[in-house]
Amino acid sequence: MTANEIRDSYKKFFESKQHAIVPSAPMVIKDDPTLMFTNAGMNQWKDIILGTRDPEPRRRADTQKCLRVSGKHNDLEEVGHDTYHHTMFEMLGNWSFGDYFKEGAIDMAWEYLVDVLKLNPEDLYVTVFEGSPEENIPRDDEAAKYWAKHVPEDHIINGNKHDNFWEMGDTGPCGPCSEIHVDSRTPEQKAASGKTGRELVNQDDPQVIEIWNLVFMQFNRKADGSLEKLSMNVIDTGMGFERLVRMLQGKHSNYDTDVFQPIIKAEQQITGLKYYTFEEETVNPISKDQDDINVAMRVCADHLRAVSFSIADGQLPSNAKAGYVIRRILRRAVRYAYTFLGQKDGFLHKLVPTLVAEMGDAFPELKAQQQLITKVIKEEEDSFLRTLEKGIGMLNDAMGQLKAEGKTELDGVQAFRLFDTYGFPLDLTELICRENGFTVNEEQFNVEMQKQKERARNAAAVENSDWVELAQGERLRVGDDESGMQQFVGYDYTEYECHIIRYRKVTQKKNEFYELVLDYTPFYGEMGGQVGDCGVICNEAETIDIIDTKRENGQSVHIVKQLPKDPAAQFMACVDTDKRNASAANHTATHLLDYALKQILGDHVEQKGSFVSPDTLRFDFSHFEKVTDEQLREVERMVNDMIRQDIHIDEHRDVPFDEAKKLGAIALFGEKYGDKVRVVRFGPSCEFCGGIHASSTGRIGFFKIISESSVAAGIRRIEAKTGKECEELLYTMEDNMRAIRSFFNNAKDLQGVIAKYIEEHDSMKKEIEAFQAARVANLSKELVSKARTVNGVSVITAKFDMMPNAAKDLVFKIRELCPEHLVCVVGTVFDGKPMLNVMLSDDMVKDHGLNAGQLVREAAKLMQGGGGGQPHFASAGGKNPDGLTAAIDKVIELAKL
Ligand code: ATP
Ligand code: MG
């Protein structure tokens, strides 16, 4: 079976078991402060598991793009060195939210692997949780019992808490899990090893690996560490797609399957190097150098996928957070290609066409954005290769220094600096050092690394207390919704009666605040680039400021500095409507802007990020060159035209996703959409959007672009203002204009007047220059005629109020008139500053050994100055004009004529 067929068969199987087949969530997570990337299939169901979202349909299955390069799951350093961990991989998963539990999950998994896919049951082993006496949790006998229906006792293995007890985080849902492992050794390997598969499970054997993990969530862990029963049991399973494909295609390395082979073939073609598959390696053991090449090719093939999918999901490499993680992955690939594949120029971007050809059908976001992906990767590669060269230069200098000092060890602090500033990991520094006969102090390096980690940890530390539940939540269960979930009423109201249903204390960098969840709330929580609402909750007894509203697990979480005295009381929740209306107008303006950009620049324009606050809006989009002033004007005109048409919002809530697409709504790549979506239309602009909007475009008032710039390769940014902010902008411009006009006697034709001034200025400048030239010519003649003669040398000294450049012209003119036996010293004062010029004829330099530079330097001391120049001409400036005459005399004295 091909990879694509295997993917389909999984979906088909679970469809036949009444599961809703749902799309993969984006790999890059935008609205969860606790997680940057999807690292497991369950991430997108977190809110269902936590009880803040409707669990229907209760059976679901999908294939999820995952990335494991940061936080709890970080496989980055393994990738390429082993053959079964990737940075980005697909996780096949099936879920039950309060439907079937352990027995159903185990039976279905077995049926799929053995009956449908025909894996050999003798090669399958399963693990169950052995129990934890100190936590008072018994062995998972239940799971063991169900497994025993399918496998012999000696294929069931007890596993410890580390491997067989899954937790969502420090707190929250958790429970035992059962893993399915496969023994994929060749018969020869089995015979040679003398060990059973059972003995190799969880022993890091590259041929005895975990393929599927079935998690049985049944507890909730509280902040004090204790466990309580979960109100709804959850089945959460995850199977590594690439590992499954490898089993079914009879391979022994994920990289030998049709998921990776086309990319590896392209790598071989570009580099002219060979990759050895598992079989080839077995027949023909490979050298250390060839192994390095193999590793590097695997690294590049893997990282190409991770980076391309991230960019397609809207996460570009950058200097912070998720963007920085992507940058690090890309740089890791560049280093391997540079060091082991001899690629001194960008390499990864050349593989994009192969990736798109292979995966573009299953993942249309890749195909649609191929140009952007290629461009971004190329630019990153080029810029990192430049950094790499600089770092290598620095390392060479350091090694030169060591050699001079007779040392052979590079200190760890320096190695760490290379890592920190140039992205050189220790192994690269060591490699280069080793090639030159040096070692690196690893211990010191690790100490520095540890220090940095500590600094980062301290900066990010957040402490959450347990949620305190209030009985008022009951109101929801008897009201119009029985789910106990918060109701957001902010699309229709800005004030609403409410109760606090739960709250908790949060400590961040010694800062303390509280988070409140209300039963009904008009407050919009920050999402999709639009900032959260602020306002108050109040009743007769008190008023509490809501300083911000965040969105967490699909709910608005209100941030307050202090808790109400009676949290159980009833409140009125009131949004600050001035700020809300301004944000709403800006949000609607971004939709119109998006529409106008597509009309004027073309269909390739894709939204790549936006920020909407009460005072400004920012919109990032893909476009490959600067937007011209004329195009910006056209965009502004189109948006303002739509504003004047005062188009009313046409809003559709809870539309099934496919129906929304039929309405012509624009969905963004990398955005997570539920089964039901909201569509917002203003005339021809139609988008998927959960944000707060103006009730009609007229409310925007006016739209003006403030700047257009580049944020990254292929991505432009427009900043703009609307409404009242535009009014203020206009006043500032008007004030400036008025001030300028007053300089010109409030002339009506300001442009004409300024042009005339410039013209006059230019012609006056020319006149002055001509006048100066004439003066210099006259003065030079006069000075030469009045020169003293000392021992056959013409000595000219003079002092004028004159511009420095005129004085320079003057002494050169004098030298022209008097090319031999000349010593000329001209002092000037301009703007209160003295200046000394010394000019000598060539013979005075050659035959009399004089040097204008030396003379001027010495003499300028008398006017508190300094200077220099050539042997025949030098000048010096000074601070004290009263010393100028003495300085002139000093030059003559020093010349000793
Ligand atoms: P392992 O011990 O092999 O790292 P895991 O315990 O981290 O696996 P889970 O978190 O249980 O794995 O993930 C579920 C499944 O996803 C695994 O059984 C495996 O098939 C697959 N998987 C996990 N990590 C990776 C990875 N880095 N690359 C490819 N597949 C993976
Ligand atoms: Mg792992």
Side-chain angles (χ1 to χ4, degrees):
M1 278 207 266
T2 65
N4 285 331
E5 287 164 359
I6 295 168
R7 196 187 285 117
D8 287 343
S9 97
Y10 182 83
K11 292 183 187 167
K12 223 177 250 148
F13 176 77
F14 279 97
E15 202 167 21
S16 78
K17 302 283 180 196
Q18 293 78 48
H19 286 65
I21 306 302
V22 294
S24 170
M27 191 170 77
V28 183
I29 297 180
K30 306 223 167 74
D31 290 317
D32 185 346
T34 63
L35 198 61
M36 291 194 281
F37 302 102
T38 298
N39 60 24
M42 56 70 54
N43 296 156
Q44 68 162 320
W45 314 122
K46 217 171 114 185
D47 41 8
I48 297 185
I49 298 165
L50 292 172
T52 59
R53 184 173 141 200
D54 185 1
E56 294 293 340
R58 288 175 184 270
R59 293 183 179 205
R60 306 184 188 207
D62 73 3
T63 162
Q64 172 65 50
K65 299 176 273 185
C66 293
L67 190 63
R68 291 199 166 179
V69 287
S70 57
K72 180 174 156 196
H73 291 292
N74 188 345
D75 294 335
L76 186 60
E77 292 311 316
E78 262 72 63
V79 174
H81 291 275
D82 76 17
T83 54
Y84 59 107
H85 279 98
H86 304 295
T87 55
M88 186 212 140
F89 64 99
E90 284 180 68
M91 197 188 277
L92 305 171
N94 57 287
W95 288 271
S96 156
F97 304 112
D99 190 327
Y100 61 84
F101 201 45
K102 294 182 192 181
E103 185 172 19
I106 288 171
D107 285 351
M108 281 185 240
W110 192 259
E111 184 185 340
Y112 180 60
L113 292 182
V114 175
D115 298 341
V116 178
L117 298 180
K118 311 281 183 230
L119 286 186
N120 182 355
E122 278 173 27
D123 288 333
L124 299 178
Y125 294 86
V126 299
T127 60
V128 297
F129 182 44
E130 65 187 2
S132 161
E134 66 271 24
E135 295 216 49
N136 209 10
I137 314 174
R139 175 176 185 260
D140 194 358
D141 289 333
E142 209 190 336
K145 182 176 83 191
Y146 300 132
W147 281 122
K149 292 200 290 186
H150 308 290
V151 292
E153 261 326 305
D154 65 348
H155 278 235
I156 304 176
I157 302 165
N158 279 345
N160 60 22
K161 206 168 148 198
H162 175 258
D163 287 321
N164 283 85
F165 196 83
W166 182 92
E167 311 220 17
M168 186 184 270
D170 294 339
T171 57
C174 55
C177 60
S178 260
E179 303 159 343
I180 304 174
H181 293 254
V182 291
D183 179 358
S184 70
R185 290 175 299 169
T186 60
E188 298 78 43
Q189 281 181 321
K190 283 180 184 164
S193 107
K195 284 192 174 164
T196 61
R198 181 187 173 95
E199 289 169 282
L200 293 174
V201 163
N202 275 333
Q203 299 301 315
D204 290 333
D205 186 300
Q207 297 306 326
V208 183
I209 57 175
E210 177 192 326
I211 59 164
W212 203 346
N213 193 356
L214 316 181
V215 179
F216 315 125
M217 285 179 222
Q218 56 189 117
F219 304 112
N220 180 40
R221 187 173 299 277
K222 299 171 59 172
D224 66 3
S226 63
L227 295 175
E228 60 185 13
K229 227 179 113 24
L230 210 57
S231 55
M232 166 180 77
N233 283 341
V234 171
I235 286 294
D236 156 33
T237 87
M239 171 155 59
F241 173 65
E242 297 76 4
R243 293 185 190 181
L244 179 68
V245 172
R246 148 186 172 175
M247 293 303 303
L248 294 174
Q249 294 184 350
K251 304 291 183 193
H252 299 272
S253 155
N254 292 10
Y255 295 91
D256 293 347
T257 65
D258 63 348
V259 179
F260 286 98
Q261 272 301 307
I263 303 174
I264 289 179
K265 289 219 175 82
E267 290 180 334
Q268 299 185 80
Q269 207 157 38
I270 297 171
T271 60
L273 298 169
K274 178 161 169 52
Y275 180 83
Y276 283 72
T277 62
F278 177 86
E279 273 81 16
E280 287 168 327
E281 251 187 76
T282 316
V283 184
N284 209 343
I286 58 173
S287 65
K288 166 83 180 67
D289 284 351
Q290 178 59 47
D291 189 51
D292 286 342
I293 293 172
N294 265 14
V295 170
M297 286 199 180
R298 291 196 287 262
V299 164
C300 290
D302 174 279
H303 292 8
L304 167 72
R305 293 181 0 134
V307 171
S308 300
F309 274 88
S310 302
I311 297 171
D313 257 7
Q315 184 57 64
L316 303 186
S318 76
N319 253 342
K321 296 184 187 161
Y324 189 57
V325 176
I326 301 306
R327 175 165 282 172
R328 274 190 9 235
I329 300 176
L330 193 141
R331 290 182 169 188
R332 187 169 184 262
V334 174
R335 270 168 29 223
Y336 275 86
Y338 181 93
T339 316
F340 302 111
L341 304 179
Q343 299 299 303
K344 307 298 178 210
D345 295 321
F347 167 62
L348 227 52
H349 71 275
K350 297 178 190 157
L351 301 170
V352 174
T354 312
L355 176 71
V356 173
E358 291 301 317
M359 301 192 79
D361 285 336
F363 299 93
E365 65 267 38
L366 282 184
K367 206 181 256 178
Q369 301 181 86
Q370 180 171 350
Q371 196 187 0
L372 177 73
I373 295 168
T374 311
K375 224 169 157 118
V376 170
I377 295 183
K378 176 160 192 317
E379 176 137 318
E380 272 293 306
E381 286 189 295
D382 289 348
S383 111
F384 182 55
L385 283 163
R386 284 194 296 271
T387 314
L388 210 56
E389 308 251 282
K390 258 194 241 156
I392 289 173
M394 194 174 133
L395 192 51
N396 281 336
D397 289 349
M399 289 189 298
Q401 183 94 20
L402 288 180
K403 202 175 254 167
E405 292 168 6
K407 294 183 186 156
T408 58
E409 185 187 72
L410 183 75
D411 76 72
V413 179
Q414 223 159 351
F416 183 77
R417 200 174 311 136
L418 274 166
F419 164 78
D420 209 28
T421 5
Y422 296 104
F424 272 49
L426 188 59
D427 59 3
L428 181 64
T429 305
E430 275 177 336
L431 183 93
I432 299 172
C433 282
R434 200 162 48 237
E435 281 169 3
N436 290 279
F438 295 98
T439 57
V440 181
N441 188 326
E442 241 180 86
E443 233 165 84
Q444 274 177 348
F445 178 91
N446 290 334
V447 169
E448 291 299 309
M449 185 70 132
Q450 204 50 42
K451 278 196 221 159
Q452 198 198 39
K453 279 194 179 147
E454 221 113 282
R455 282 195 296 272
R457 226 195 324 273
N458 291 340
V462 182
E463 240 177 77
N464 292 333
S465 309
D466 274 331
W467 286 105
V468 177
E469 303 281 341
L470 297 180
Q472 276 67 21
E474 290 305 317
R475 179 179 159 214
L476 281 173
R477 296 188 183 95
V478 296
D480 42 9
D481 187 286
E482 301 200 345
S483 62
M485 292 180 297
Q486 176 189 74
Q487 301 291 301
F488 174 68
V489 295
Y491 292 141
D492 304 308
Y493 301 93
T494 52
E495 294 190 0
Y496 213 82
E497 222 170 65
C498 68
H499 290 86
I500 298 171
I501 49 177
R502 68 181 78 93
Y503 66 85
R504 70 172 171 187
K505 188 161 108 184
V506 176
T507 315
Q508 189 172 27
K509 285 193 214 156
K510 301 211 173 88
N511 226 341
E512 265 186 22
F513 53 88
Y514 292 87
E515 295 182 340
L516 312 180
V517 179
L518 308 179
D519 51 0
Y520 291 84
T521 183
F523 280 76
Y524 180 79
E526 177 176 352
M527 185 182 53
Q530 180 163 8
V531 300
D533 280 326
C534 22
V536 296
I537 53 169
C538 57
N539 56 23
E540 274 161 17
E542 55 188 329
T543 299
I544 304 281
D545 282 330
I546 309 263
I547 52 177
D548 196 5
T549 311
K550 306 259 175 232
R551 201 171 155 90
E552 230 178 88
N553 300 313
Q555 307 184 98
S556 289
V557 175
H558 311 72
I559 314 291
V560 294
K561 275 284 181 202
Q562 82 201 71
L563 276 183
K565 285 187 206 80
D566 177 12
Q570 180 172 313
F571 295 91
M572 208 51 195
C574 310
V575 171
D576 178 332
T577 47
D578 282 350
K579 285 191 179 151
R580 148 79 75 102
N581 290 340
S583 289
N586 278 337
H587 198 155
T588 304
T590 60
H591 282 209
L592 305 187
L593 172 61
D594 187 15
Y595 172 78
L597 285 169
K598 285 195 174 74
Q599 296 303 302
I600 286 158
L601 302 180
D603 273 344
H604 62 280
V605 168
E606 264 282 335
Q607 174 169 346
K608 285 292 162 200
S610 77
F611 173 76
V612 174
S613 75
D615 25 77
T616 194
L617 71 91
R618 207 168 63 207
F619 188 74
D620 297 346
F621 57 100
S622 47
H623 183 58
F624 301 106
E625 61 207 15
K626 190 164 175 43
V627 187
T628 65
D629 288 346
E630 294 75 43
Q631 288 169 328
L632 289 178
R633 224 0 115 69
E634 270 188 82
V635 168
E636 287 175 331
R637 282 188 200 287
M638 186 173 282
V639 171
N640 280 313
D641 196 45
M642 291 168 83
I643 291 173
R644 280 189 300 273
Q645 288 171 32
D646 196 20
I647 307 164
H648 276 260
I649 186 169
D650 172 21
E651 181 205 10
H652 304 258
R653 292 185 204 162
D654 295 327
V655 186
F657 186 86
D658 291 332
E659 223 166 277
K661 287 229 95 165
K662 273 188 223 137
L663 282 171
I666 300 172
L668 297 184
F669 290 124
E671 212 48 61
K672 174 181 161 186
Y673 298 106
D675 319 324
K676 301 265 181 70
V677 295
R678 178 167 173 256
V679 174
V680 172
R681 181 200 288 281
F682 288 97
S685 145
C686 187
E687 299 198 17
F688 283 62
C689 183
I692 302 283
H693 281 275
S695 54
S696 70
T697 58
R699 301 241 164 189
I700 300 169
F702 185 62
F703 170 84
K704 179 81 194 87
I705 292 173
I706 301 300
S707 70
E708 190 274 349
S709 57
S710 156
V711 264
I715 309 283
R716 311 295 306 179
R717 166 170 295 174
I718 281 183
E719 285 180 76
K721 303 240 181 239
T722 64
K724 194 159 156 26
E725 291 293 324
C726 281
E727 192 182 329
E728 291 304 324
L729 195 73
L730 206 71
Y731 294 149
T732 311
M733 279 160 63
E734 191 181 29
D735 290 347
N736 277 340
M737 210 55 196
R738 205 173 269 152
I740 293 168
R741 200 164 256 144
S742 75
F743 284 131
F744 297 95
N745 291 330
N746 297 320
K748 278 223 173 63
D749 174 20
L750 193 57
Q751 280 191 26
V753 172
I754 292 177
K756 211 171 116 220
Y757 266 88
I758 292 172
E759 206 175 284
E760 261 173 38
H761 170 266
D762 288 351
S763 80
M764 270 185 330
K765 201 169 148 203
K766 272 197 202 114
E767 264 172 47
I768 291 170
E769 277 164 7
F771 175 73
Q772 211 170 47
R775 183 174 175 220
V776 163
N778 287 339
L779 270 180
S780 60
K781 277 186 211 142
E782 191 186 326
L783 288 174
V784 169
S785 71
K786 283 188 190 160
R788 289 183 283 146
T789 311
V790 181
N791 289 335
V793 177
S794 301
V795 177
I796 297 172
T797 56
K799 205 176 109 178
F800 302 105
D801 286 344
M802 177 185 272
M803 289 205 309
N805 65 340
K808 192 175 163 191
D809 286 350
L810 178 62
V811 294
F812 273 90
K813 200 95 203 165
I814 289 172
R815 189 177 131 113
E816 247 172 52
L817 296 174
C818 183
E820 285 184 337
H821 314 308
L822 168 73
V823 174
C824 166
V825 189
V826 173
T828 62
V829 179
F830 186 73
D831 257 355
K833 295 237 167 65
M835 181 98 192
L836 190 61
N837 294 282
V838 175
M839 178 62 89
L840 305 174
S841 54
D842 287 341
D843 60 304
M844 296 309 291
V845 177
K846 268 192 226 128
D847 307 338
H848 287 75
L850 292 186
N851 182 314
Q854 278 166 13
L855 293 174
V856 94
R857 246 192 306 278
E858 191 59 34
K861 288 178 188 163
L862 294 173
M863 49 180 217
Q864 284 179 296
Q870 296 146 280
H872 73 279
F873 169 69
S875 59
K879 285 185 192 140
N880 178 17
D882 295 339
L884 184 57
T885 310
I888 295 171
D889 293 345
K890 186 73 181 179
V891 175
I892 304 302
E893 182 195 323
L894 289 170
K896 290 194 185 129
L897 296 170

